[in-house]
Amino acid sequence: MTALVAAVTALALTLVTAGAAQATEYRYWSFWQQDKGGAWVYATQGPSVARPDDGDVEGFRFAVSADSRSAVRPRGAADFDTICADTPARGGSKRIAVVVDFGTPGDATGGETPPKTRTACARVGSDATTADALSAVAKPLRYNSSALLCAISGYPKNGCGEPVSGKESKGEDSGGKDSGGKDSGGEDSGGEASAGERGSGTADGSGDGGGPSVGLLAGVGAIVALGAAAVWQARRRRG
């Protein structure tokens, strides 16, 4: 009986380990939106679908991450009134503050040097999407055949959402605090973002964080339940 329980436990641990090993990191542009409190939130829609309002702040960050919960936010101060101070309101259009963080050297593709973070105020039509606003201030943009955003202002020159090894994602960065003292998504000197700097939203319903998936845990639970049932049946026969 003890051997059966041990076997079930070993199988469960094997599944958990296998699930953790399947976590893959990708090098890509993540899309963020600023909430009313000035905090970055991982966007739930793609930039070609999202339609921001006048006064909104939209951000993009190039980095390596496995999912939305491990993604790092754009760095630096991002205040609409500051970014769009020289762009007055005008009827029939809207103003969108755009922040583009090109990331760290450790996240760069093929040894490229990332440009400095840029901010710009895009004046676009009242029905424009975030992609329209980005195109207005950060050309050239590059997309792949699946309409995935691959490059902003020509960066990076190559690649598009490709998986990377753990060694490739270790870079150096400097911490970031905006002028109001709020955390703005900066990373520590080792290039690893702290828990407070990583996103917690879900993009397209696919982000499940860095832990085991719900499906994996359910499978482990089913195996443990089957093992318990086998133990109960054996005891019942002996009785």
Side-chain angles (χ1 to χ4, degrees):
M1 199 62 58
T2 302
L4 176 59
V5 174
V8 170
T9 303
L11 179 56
L13 290 175
T14 298
L15 285 177
V16 170
T17 302
Q22 290 174 359
T24 302
E25 292 188 313
Y26 299 87
R27 180 182 286 113
Y28 69 101
W29 280 101
S30 57
F31 171 35
W32 302 78
Q33 296 174 311
Q34 200 174 90
D35 65 16
K36 299 303 181 182
W40 286 117
V41 178
Y42 202 100
T44 58
Q45 295 179 311
S48 62
V49 177
R51 296 182 186 279
D53 296 322
D54 181 81
D56 283 350
V57 181
E58 310 282 84
F60 295 84
R61 171 72 188 262
F62 188 75
V64 173
S65 64
D67 52 43
S68 61
R69 292 187 66 184
S70 63
V72 287
R73 302 174 175 89
R75 298 163 297 173
D79 178 72
F80 175 83
D81 291 335
T82 300
I83 296 174
C84 290
D86 298 325
T87 308
R90 182 185 301 170
S93 66
K94 59 186 177 182
R95 298 159 301 159
I96 309 301
V98 179
V99 179
V100 181
D101 186 340
F102 295 89
T104 69
D107 289 333
T109 302
E112 288 188 66
T113 300
K116 293 182 179 180
T117 298
R118 301 176 186 174
T119 62
C121 187
R123 186 194 297 279
V124 290
S126 57
D127 196 41
T129 65
T130 300
D132 294 329
L134 183 64
S135 178
V137 298
K139 290 182 179 179
L141 306 180
R142 176 167 58 86
Y143 293 87
N144 68 4
S145 58
S146 299
L148 176 67
L149 179 62
C150 304
I152 298 177
S153 296
Y155 182 86
K157 295 179 181 178
N158 302 295
C160 191
E162 67 277 8
V164 300
S165 67
K167 293 181 180 180
E168 291 181 276
S169 61
K170 307 299 181 184
E172 292 187 356
D173 198 0
S174 57
K177 295 284 182 181
D178 63 24
S179 58
K182 294 181 180 179
D183 184 282
S184 59
E187 296 171 309
D188 60 26
S189 59
E192 291 297 311
S194 66
E197 295 161 351
R198 295 188 181 278
S200 58
T202 301
D204 301 324
S206 60
D208 59 2
S213 68
V214 173
L216 175 61
L217 292 178
V220 171
I223 291 173
V224 172
L226 287 173
V231 171
W232 180 80
Q233 289 287 356
R235 288 178 177 175
R236 185 180 179 185
R237 292 193 194 97
R238 290 182 179 182

